[in-house]
Every structure is written in C-alpha cells, then in structure tokens.
Amino acid sequence: MDGAGRLARSLRSLGPQADLKAAAIGAVVLLRERLGLPRAKARPHLERQPPPRLIGFIEQHLPRRAGLAATVLLLLGSAGLGVVKGGHLEAFTAALSDTRNAIANSAGFRITTVAINGRKQLTQDEVLGIGGVNGRSSLLFLDAATVRDKLKANPWIAEATVLKLYPGRLQIDIVERSAFALWQHDGRLAVISDDGAVLEPYLSRRFISLPLVVGKGAETHARDFLALLARYPQVRNLTKAAIFVGERRWNLRLRDGLDIRLPENNVGNALAALSKLDKEERLFSRDIVAVDMRLPDRLTVQLSEDAAKAREELFKDKKSKKKAGDA
C-alpha cells in the first residue's frame, strides 16, 4: 500500500495480453538456447532516400492513376505515329469505317434499295462507284454531302442530290452532261460537253459522229460557233473540222480538204456569202485549195497546183495567139 492506503500497481504488469506475449518470447529464446539454434538475423532496414523536388511535387499533387493514364496515352500516340509513318493510315481508316458499318448493318441500317434517276451515259454501278458507295456501306454512317461532292467532281455529272431514306433506302438524282463535240488539242482527242468540260478521252466510236473542233480555246468557244454554223447547212454539211486560230478566229476544213479562212468579226456575214457563192457559182466544186475571207472588202481564192499550171498555160496560149493575130 502507498501512504494513502491504496494498493500500488506493478509497473511491469500492463495487462494479461502483454504478460502472455512476454512469456511466449521468453520461451522461444530459452528453446533456441537449449537446442543450439542460431539467433534469427535482424532484417536490414532500407532507408529510402528522399526523391528530387520535381518528382516529389508530382507524386504529391498529381491525382492517383495519372501515371497509368499517361502511359496509355503515350502508347496510343506511339501506335498512331507508327500507322502514319508506315503509310497504313488509309488502310486503318478503311478498316475502322468497315467495322462501324458492319455494326450499323447488323443493327438494321443496311442499304437494301438504291434508286438512281437521271443517268444516261453512266451505269448504276459507275454512279455508286463514283460516290464511294459499296456493299459494306451502311445508311447510318453514309455522309450524303460527301457522296454528292464526289459525284459532282466527275465531269459527266453536272448536278447531284443524295437522299437517305431510313432504314435502308438510298436515292440519288443526277443531271448528266451531254457529249457535244470532239476536241483535238496537242495531238489528243477528247469528248467535251457544250460548256467546254472534258468528259473523257475519245476511245469509243459511238462519238464518231460528233463535230470536230481543233485548237486551244476551241472547247469553250465551240458552242456559239457551231450554233452559228448550223444556220448555214450548205457549209455545215461539208465541214470536217472547225479550227480555232490564235484564240481569235475560225478556219473551216471541208471534207475534200478545202480550207476556208473566216474573218475575226462578222462571221455570220462571211458564212452567208460563202453559202451563196456555192449555190450560185458552185465554189466548193472547183479546183481550189483555200478561200481567204479575212479581208472585209474582198475574197481571195487559192487554186490547186494543177489548176494553177493549167491557168498559167491558158494565159500563155492566149498571149501567143494574140501576138500571132497582131502580126
């Protein structure tokens, strides 16, 4: 007891659990000594060196899993760079597009019906191919504006309208250009429309009956000139080609090789005079190689080589007869 009549607690007895733990440790120590076992080595304690300030700041302030997210982004960026550098971007984009289209098709958005209105020269498969529509396309992910732009980029198609009618119908309305003439320039022959657009190289003989225009700029001026020439069928029916000279005026090459050089201005008057001369004087049936109408006040005719010799001999004969008569 202490001085106040209270029982003093033992400082070593802190509770039954502490006593049991101490007894167990002591028993283990005595057993090791009796059996001669070596004492357990104390585990080395590794002291962690404090990280650099920057690393410590990042560890303290970045949210959890930010490092994992950054690693994933780095891997995705590396993969994307590899696709671009390796030239696989187009194939990767096509594969991604096919995948999403397959999902949409399985969901009921497959294109089952296609209606194309206004086509004459182009087939249905050609129109769909130009617009980029194929058997894998789905109506859900089909970009109508992109299809329309692709169609209008084709020279045969002047206008196009694309309608998506869900769940699976596609309607395309087009306005085609018409083959108007054949245009020869720099040794190449092409089919052109009346507005001068080059439709395609001349390969098919179905265009052989079209009028032929030749020279730089002829494709854009052909519509007005050929419309004027059509007023004079006497000349038009014999014309093989219309040649645009110096981007200023026209020459006509007739089927028998006769060249007609038209003036730069008042072309209609020149064609009218030419038609009248052929009706009255049978001009185109004569042995001539060229008719020059470039001067407004006169018409010059160039004879063929044989006709020129015959004319020269005729004049010589007339002169010799005249001299004999004078004698």
Side-chain angles (χ1 to χ4, degrees), residues 163-204:
L163 297 177
K164 295 165 53 174
L165 305 174
Y166 288 100
R169 187 182 175 205
L170 178 66
Q171 179 176 323
I172 300 175
D173 299 318
I174 62 174
V175 177
E176 283 189 353
R177 290 185 173 93
S178 299
F180 175 71
L182 299 177
W183 175 46
Q184 181 179 330
H185 180 55
D186 290 339
R188 294 187 295 269
L189 199 60
V191 182
I192 62 172
S193 63
D194 59 355
D195 61 357
V198 177
L199 302 178
E200 63 179 52
Y202 174 67
L203 299 174
S204 175

Side-chain angles (χ1 to χ4, degrees), residues 108-122:
F109 294 100
R110 182 181 300 276
I111 299 175
T112 57
T113 305
V114 176
I116 301 177
N117 302 317
R119 64 178 183 84
K120 296 177 182 177
Q121 301 290 339
L122 300 173

